[in-house]
Amino acid sequence: MTQAPAAPKAARRRHDREIVALAVPAFGALVAEPLFVMADSAIVGHLGTAQLAGLGIASALLTTAVSVFVFLAYATTAAVARRVGAGDLPAAIRQGMDGIWLALLLGVAVIAVALPTAPALVGLFGASDAATPHAVTYLRISALGIPAMLAVLAATGVLRGLQDTKTPLYVAIAGFVANGVLNVLLVYGAGLGIAGSAWGTVLAQCGMAAVYLTVVVRGARRHGASLRPDAAGIRACAQAGVPLLARTLSLKAIVIIATAVAARLGDADIAAHQIVLSLWSLLSFALDAIAIAGQAIIGRYLGAGDAQGARDACRRMVQWGFASGVVLGLLVVLARPAFVPLFSGDAAVQDAALPALIVIALAQPICGIVYVLDGVLMGAGDGPYLAWAMLITLAVFAPAALLVPTLGGALTSLWVAMTLMMTVRMLTLWLRSRSGRWIVTGATR
């Protein structure tokens, strides 16, 4: 990071207030989607094992499809925040509308692919004859809600760019409650079974999208921003999203490789890996909340032409990320004896998971720095560098992970490779932040 005098206490307090005000509500909104899946699983699970297995397969496909397009939130946040910093709210909202239109177009394209290919997609998972029809039913119905899901991502990015993370939190809570109520009514009240669960989720997602669109449309009318689709603006949003898509796909590849390697280590190791990975994902929500604050804050500073403010905010957020990682690491160490038995009573699984949890505990300070710098560079619109950095990270991680079973390593060795991956990410991001090349001021990058 570029060296500069330490920010005065008043400036640090201002940064702290901004980070907390944006990060805390963002964390609540981030956990909404996993809660949707958990609620659906709890309700469908009482229908039978085949139905639950079908839900698990369809949910994995849907979650992957939606997560690939997470750039809709990231790119929109950065672009809108810059215009907010430049004092041009009409242009900020116009930029946000372009992102929403892109989300709707991509959603329609996904539907066109998912509906006819649903049986083939489910077949890739090797589902049993009993689970397959339930998975296909859930996937086809839920796919109809993908445009709403993607619109929610883009609209969330708009509000984050406008420095508002509270509205997404409120919408996420309302959506979670509505999803649970609708699932119960349609699955059991209407007797629709797993189809009722899918329709309940679609209706909840559409309701969330409607609320977001109402908020954005009101803002557009208040500031005189056009709501019509603009081909040039939509194309610009897509171009900004391509590098972030490459980054996301690289991350997905890392998770897939790690899971494949764990599967080669044995049943106990793959079971333990899923336990460790679930905790890793949970911890990432807390750290990603700070990253989201970074996207919004950095974008606003750069849009306002305040390079020094961006540097100071970056420095303070890195301190927050490191401290949060230390705290989370300590919590993992303290909670691990009680955490693993919640998922498995198998002694072999516990023996494999417990030492791996020590590794991820030690990695959390590194993760804290990575997530923050990732958010800072996203807020700066530095997507191409992020894409190249992740490709380099993947190139380092893949051979290291694939060597684990070859060299007779166990699950702990695999998670050492995962920590190596995060260390490489930290180094690439730190070098970029230190260079200062990410600091490009103005309403657009």
Side-chain angles (χ1 to χ4, degrees), residues 177-250:
V177 173
N179 179 67
V181 172
L182 287 168
N183 266 259
V184 171
L185 291 176
L186 294 175
V187 171
Y188 297 111
L192 296 179
I194 195 169
S197 176
W199 281 118
T201 300
V202 169
L203 291 173
Q205 291 284 0
C206 288
M208 292 170 68
V211 173
Y212 275 121
L213 291 175
T214 300
V215 172
V216 175
V217 168
R218 284 178 179 172
R221 289 176 175 170
R222 186 164 57 249
H223 295 286
S226 174
L227 296 172
R228 295 178 180 178
D230 176 68
I234 294 172
R235 188 163 53 250
C237 288
Q239 289 172 345
V242 169
L244 295 180
L245 175 60
R247 166 196 168 275
T248 300
L249 291 175
S250 297

Side-chain angles (χ1 to χ4, degrees), residues 386-410:
L386 289 172
W388 282 110
M390 274 308 308
L391 288 172
I392 292 170
T393 302
L394 175 59
V396 173
F397 170 76
L402 294 173
L403 280 173
V404 168
T406 302
L407 298 178

Side-chain angles (χ1 to χ4, degrees), residues 29 100 148 151-157 159 164-172 205-218:
I100 292 172
V152 166
L153 281 177
T156 299
L159 296 182
D164 176 9
T165 55
K166 290 184 179 179
T167 299
L169 172 61
Y170 300 148
V171 175
Q205 291 284 0
C206 288
M208 292 170 68
V211 173
Y212 275 121
L213 291 175
T214 300
V215 172
V216 175
V217 168
R218 284 178 179 172

Side-chain angles (χ1 to χ4, degrees), residues 226-298:
S226 174
L227 296 172
R228 295 178 180 178
D230 176 68
I234 294 172
R235 188 163 53 250
C237 288
Q239 289 172 345
V242 169
L244 295 180
L245 175 60
R247 166 196 168 275
T248 300
L249 291 175
S250 297
L251 279 171
K252 289 290 179 185
I254 286 170
V255 174
I256 291 171
I257 290 171
T259 302
V261 169
R264 292 177 63 187
L265 297 175
D267 289 347
D269 288 280
I270 185 61
H273 176 72
Q274 289 305 113
I275 295 172
V276 177
L277 188 62
S278 67
L279 180 59
W280 177 277
S281 300
L282 178 63
L283 297 172
S284 72
F285 286 130
L287 298 174
D288 204 25
I290 304 174
I292 287 170
Q295 294 171 30
I297 293 170
I298 294 298

Side-chain angles (χ1 to χ4, degrees), residues 3 19 21 24 27 50 67 241 257 261 264 335 349 431:
Q3 296 299 316
I19 293 167
V24 172
F27 174 74
S67 64
I257 290 171
V261 169
R264 292 177 63 187
V349 173
L431 288 171

Side-chain angles (χ1 to χ4, degrees), residues 2-398:
T2 303
Q3 296 299 316
K9 288 184 179 180
R12 288 202 300 271
R13 285 196 295 269
R14 184 179 72 251
H15 292 315
D16 290 345
R17 286 194 297 270
E18 289 179 331
I19 293 167
V20 171
L22 292 171
V24 172
F27 174 74
L30 283 171
V31 300
E33 194 61 36
L35 289 176
F36 268 57
V37 176
M38 287 177 62
D40 289 0
S41 299
I43 293 167
V44 171
H46 292 285
L47 294 174
T49 301
Q51 288 89 337
L52 184 58
L55 172 66
I57 293 168
S59 294
L61 286 165
L62 288 165
T63 300
T64 299
V66 174
S67 64
V68 164
F69 296 111
V70 73
F71 69 84
L72 290 165
Y74 294 158
T76 305
T77 297
V80 171
R82 274 186 176 269
R83 286 163 174 77
V84 168
D88 192 349
L89 283 176
I93 296 174
R94 173 67 262 176
Q95 179 75 40
M97 283 305 305
D98 291 337
I100 292 172
W101 279 114
L102 175 62
L104 293 173
L105 291 172
L106 290 172
V108 171
V110 172
I111 288 178
V113 173
L115 292 183
T117 62
L121 292 172
V122 170
L124 292 175
F125 281 77
S128 67
D129 291 340
T132 293
H134 299 298
V136 172
T137 296
Y138 191 94
L139 180 59
R140 279 181 165 158
I141 296 172
S142 294
L144 299 176
I146 285 180
M149 295 181 195
L150 300 188
V152 166
L153 281 177
T156 299
V158 176
L159 296 182
R160 288 173 181 169
L162 294 171
Q163 316 296 296
D164 176 9
T165 55
K166 290 184 179 179
T167 299
L169 172 61
Y170 300 148
V171 175
I173 293 172
F176 173 70
V177 173
N179 179 67
V181 172
L182 287 168
N183 266 259
V184 171
L185 291 176
L186 294 175
V187 171
Y188 297 111
L192 296 179
I194 195 169
S197 176
W199 281 118
T201 300
V202 169
L203 291 173
Q205 291 284 0
C206 288
M208 292 170 68
V211 173
Y212 275 121
L213 291 175
T214 300
V215 172
V216 175
V217 168
R218 284 178 179 172
R221 289 176 175 170
R222 186 164 57 249
H223 295 286
S226 174
L227 296 172
R228 295 178 180 178
D230 176 68
I234 294 172
R235 188 163 53 250
C237 288
Q239 289 172 345
V242 169
L244 295 180
L245 175 60
R247 166 196 168 275
T248 300
L249 291 175
S250 297
L251 279 171
K252 289 290 179 185
I254 286 170
V255 174
I256 291 171
I257 290 171
T259 302
V261 169
R264 292 177 63 187
L265 297 175
D267 289 347
D269 288 280
I270 185 61
H273 176 72
Q274 289 305 113
I275 295 172
V276 177
L277 188 62
S278 67
L279 180 59
W280 177 277
S281 300
L282 178 63
L283 297 172
S284 72
F285 286 130
L287 298 174
D288 204 25
I290 304 174
I292 287 170
Q295 294 171 30
I297 293 170
I298 294 298
R300 192 189 74 236
Y301 274 115
L302 294 178
D306 187 355
Q308 187 58 50
R311 290 189 185 94
D312 291 341
C314 175
R315 181 179 297 104
R316 190 58 176 163
M317 281 183 285
V318 168
Q319 293 170 354
W320 268 80
F322 179 79
S324 299
V326 170
V327 171
L328 291 174
L330 290 173
L331 289 176
V332 170
V333 172
L334 294 174
R336 72 187 183 101
F339 179 78
V340 176
L342 292 176
F343 292 85
S344 175
D346 188 325
V349 173
Q350 293 183 9
D351 289 343
L354 288 173
L357 287 176
I358 291 293
V359 175
I360 73 164
L362 295 173
Q364 288 313 295
I366 296 172
C367 295
I369 296 172
V370 167
Y371 275 85
V372 166
L373 290 179
D374 207 42
V376 166
L377 297 184
M378 282 186 191
D382 205 10
Y385 181 84
L386 289 172
W388 282 110
M390 274 308 308
L391 288 172
I392 292 170
T393 302
L394 175 59
V396 173
F397 170 76

